Amino acid sequence: MTRASSGAAELSADNVVIGAGLSGLAAARTIVDAGGDAIVLEARDRVGGRLLNATLGDGVTVDVGGQWVGSDHARVRQLAGQLGVEVFPQFGEGKNLLDVGGRRRLYRGTIPRLGLRVLWAVFLARRRLDRLAKGVSAEQPWTAERAVELDGITLAEWCAENVGTEIARQLIGLAGRTVWGAGPDELSLLHVLFYVSSAGGFDKLIDTEGGAQQERLDGGAQLLPIGLAESLGDRVRLAAPVRRIEQRAGSVLIRADGVEVEARRAIVALPPALAGEIEFDPPLPAPRPELGRRLLPGRLSKCMALYEEPFWRADGLSGEAVTDAGPVTLTFDCSPRDGSAGVLLGFVGGPEVGELELIGEEARRAAVLSCLARLYGPRAERPLDYVEREWSAEEWSRGGPTSNFGPGGWTGCGPALREPVGRIHWAGTETATVWSGYMEGALQAGERAAQEALASDSGVG
Ligand SMILES: Cc1cc2nc3c(=O)[nH]c(=O)nc-3n(C[C@H](O)[C@H](O)[C@H](O)COP(=O)(O)OP(=O)(O)OC[C@H]3O[C@@H](n4cnc5c(N)ncnc54)[C@H](O)[C@@H]3O)c2cc1C
């Protein structure tokens, strides 16, 4: 290692990966496994990005970022197996709660007990979205028949035309606040269809059993990036936010705080809005810079309350609830695997996140706990401990769970999403074609970008 004139450490490698989230680490691992070398530059002083463990009380680990492993998240399962991290089922015994329009109903499974008209409207909407999504390729959504039309309206506009009852429209909106961290009036219909297509069906997104919320990782999801980073050793450099990427003949020069790396190729594994803040020399060609302005992080907060025991189970409740009373829209039982304590998770998603931001931490906590008490009784209002994570406030994430296009985004700049620019390749869950937005997508995208970089280097380069 030498010192650059700026005082920064100077390194060189075949490949430099920007971002030590699951995607960047998977990219680096793939390169190293293929016999190449890679340096990973991470802005934060930790790895994992949108995956983060926290501790409640005297040692209960909870996930304040991504947590569930879906039924067909094969890459996540394989990685967990390699790292010795076990998966266990999301608790789902007992009845779920639906609290909309001022009425509280109990039900089992995904389908709540609603009037026949509402049930029929929800069933039809799901079937129609699935049918439309079949015509949208997760690789190239902008090539769909009527892509411009589908990209020209929001999910809310589509629901207004196609979903028969107000409660059914509301239910779709509430589900979307957690799935995308956005209100239905913020999402392009084509984006929703892309997402459904990349997951393999609408129900996959919202179901627990057989869907994206099927299982959890014992010890917390952050164990996956931590394990990957450990396997990469000192190739991973923390507290090194990348500010500038220069492309030269035959190489790239990456300038980060405290370190400069010269490499043959760069893999940028960041949410597009954050990639858009890096200075590129020469500037990226149109429409790539547009992506940073139009593919915007969702807004999603996780609020978790710790209790002595999962007391709602004794009342025959699963801990899963959908509510329009606010600010929480969805709850889950996130107690430890052995049930030795009780943890309720409340999601606040979409525009409500911004509204809650304004009222300050204490009032926010009171509002969330009062919502939990409305659902589960007064004990819910007196937790032993409490944590909230507002991802929009995170400098190096800006939101979550993923980034979304509003109208015109996919058709306007979608083709630039994965298209390499010279020696720069793009990873990150947003660029995935399978389970985009999820850990599974982050791994797929990292592996794909690494293969791309390796193949380019073994070719003309
Ligand atoms: C609240 C929440 C709940 C979720 N729930 C689930 C779930 O249950 N199941 C699931 O599968 N997924 C879930 N997700 C999504 C999942 O967490 C993400 O899909 C995945 O972690 C994304 O990984 P990534 O590597 O693509 O991006 P990130 O995790 O965002 O990684 C990007 C990394 O780049 C770093 N970085 C940013 N800018 C720079 C820079 N200029 N220089 C250097 N480094 C930089 C960041 O610090 C970060 O570490 C959830 C996400 C959130 C926020």
Side-chain angles (χ1 to χ4, degrees), residues 84-327:
V85 179
E86 290 182 15
V87 292
F88 67 101
Q90 165 61 38
F91 184 84
E93 285 165 33
K95 290 186 173 162
N96 301 340
L97 267 167
L98 180 74
D99 171 41
V100 287
R103 270 191 65 195
R104 198 168 171 274
R105 304 164 176 92
L106 295 171
Y107 66 99
R108 285 184 196 279
T110 309
I111 313 283
R113 244 192 260 158
L114 293 156
L116 269 183
R117 248 186 93 228
V118 178
L119 278 184
W120 183 240
V122 172
F123 169 77
L124 278 185
R126 286 153 71 150
R127 210 175 62 175
R128 281 182 184 140
L129 285 172
D130 274 338
R131 224 176 16 221
L132 283 172
K134 286 213 166 72
V136 174
S137 115
E139 284 81 24
Q140 301 185 320
W142 57 90
T143 62
E145 208 180 312
R146 301 193 295 128
V148 171
E149 193 186 319
L150 298 171
D151 204 23
I153 60 168
T154 62
L155 177 62
E157 287 166 335
W158 182 83
C159 283
E161 287 287 309
N162 292 278
V163 183
T165 76
E166 178 53 32
I167 292 201
R169 284 192 287 275
Q170 236 178 311
L171 284 175
I172 293 174
L174 287 172
R177 279 172 161 69
T178 312
V179 171
W180 293 284
D185 53 344
E186 298 173 297
L187 297 162
S188 145
L189 177 63
L190 186 61
H191 182 70
V192 169
L193 299 175
F194 150 76
Y195 216 69
V196 170
S197 172
S198 95
F202 186 78
D203 287 358
K204 290 271 191 87
L205 294 172
I206 57 171
D207 280 353
T208 300
E209 220 177 307
Q213 284 72 235
Q214 183 165 290
E215 276 150 320
R216 290 166 53 200
L217 290 152
D218 203 6
Q222 202 191 355
L223 291 183
L224 302 184
I226 289 173
L228 273 177
E230 277 170 6
S231 79
L232 291 164
D234 61 9
R235 294 182 187 93
V236 181
R237 302 195 53 119
L238 300 178
V242 169
R243 310 289 181 182
R244 186 177 159 88
I245 299 179
E246 292 168 22
Q247 293 209 60
R248 300 164 165 186
S251 70
V252 281
L253 181 68
I254 315 296
R255 296 187 194 274
D257 290 4
V259 59
E260 289 179 8
V261 187
E262 184 159 20
R264 288 223 292 267
R265 299 203 168 258
I267 296 175
V268 178
L270 312 180
L274 284 156
E277 288 181 4
I278 295 175
E279 191 185 342
F280 290 88
D281 179 22
L284 297 174
R288 176 76 221 188
E290 279 277 288
L291 276 173
R293 294 189 284 271
R294 300 187 72 168
L295 188 49
L296 296 176
R299 282 161 294 173
L300 190 62
S301 294
K302 276 179 107 172
C303 306
M304 306 184 95
L306 173 75
Y307 307 93
E308 221 158 281
E309 56 183 359
F311 59 87
W312 51 93
R313 293 184 186 176
D315 299 332
L317 296 176
S318 65
E320 194 173 325
V322 177
T323 174
D324 66 355

Side-chain angles (χ1 to χ4, degrees), residues 19 22-23 42-44 49-50 66-68 242 270 428-429 437-439:
L22 202 50
S23 199
E42 166 57 45
R44 289 176 162 107
R50 283 170 271 180
Q67 73 175 51
W68 284 293
V242 169
L270 312 180
T429 194
Y438 291 77
M439 294 187 264

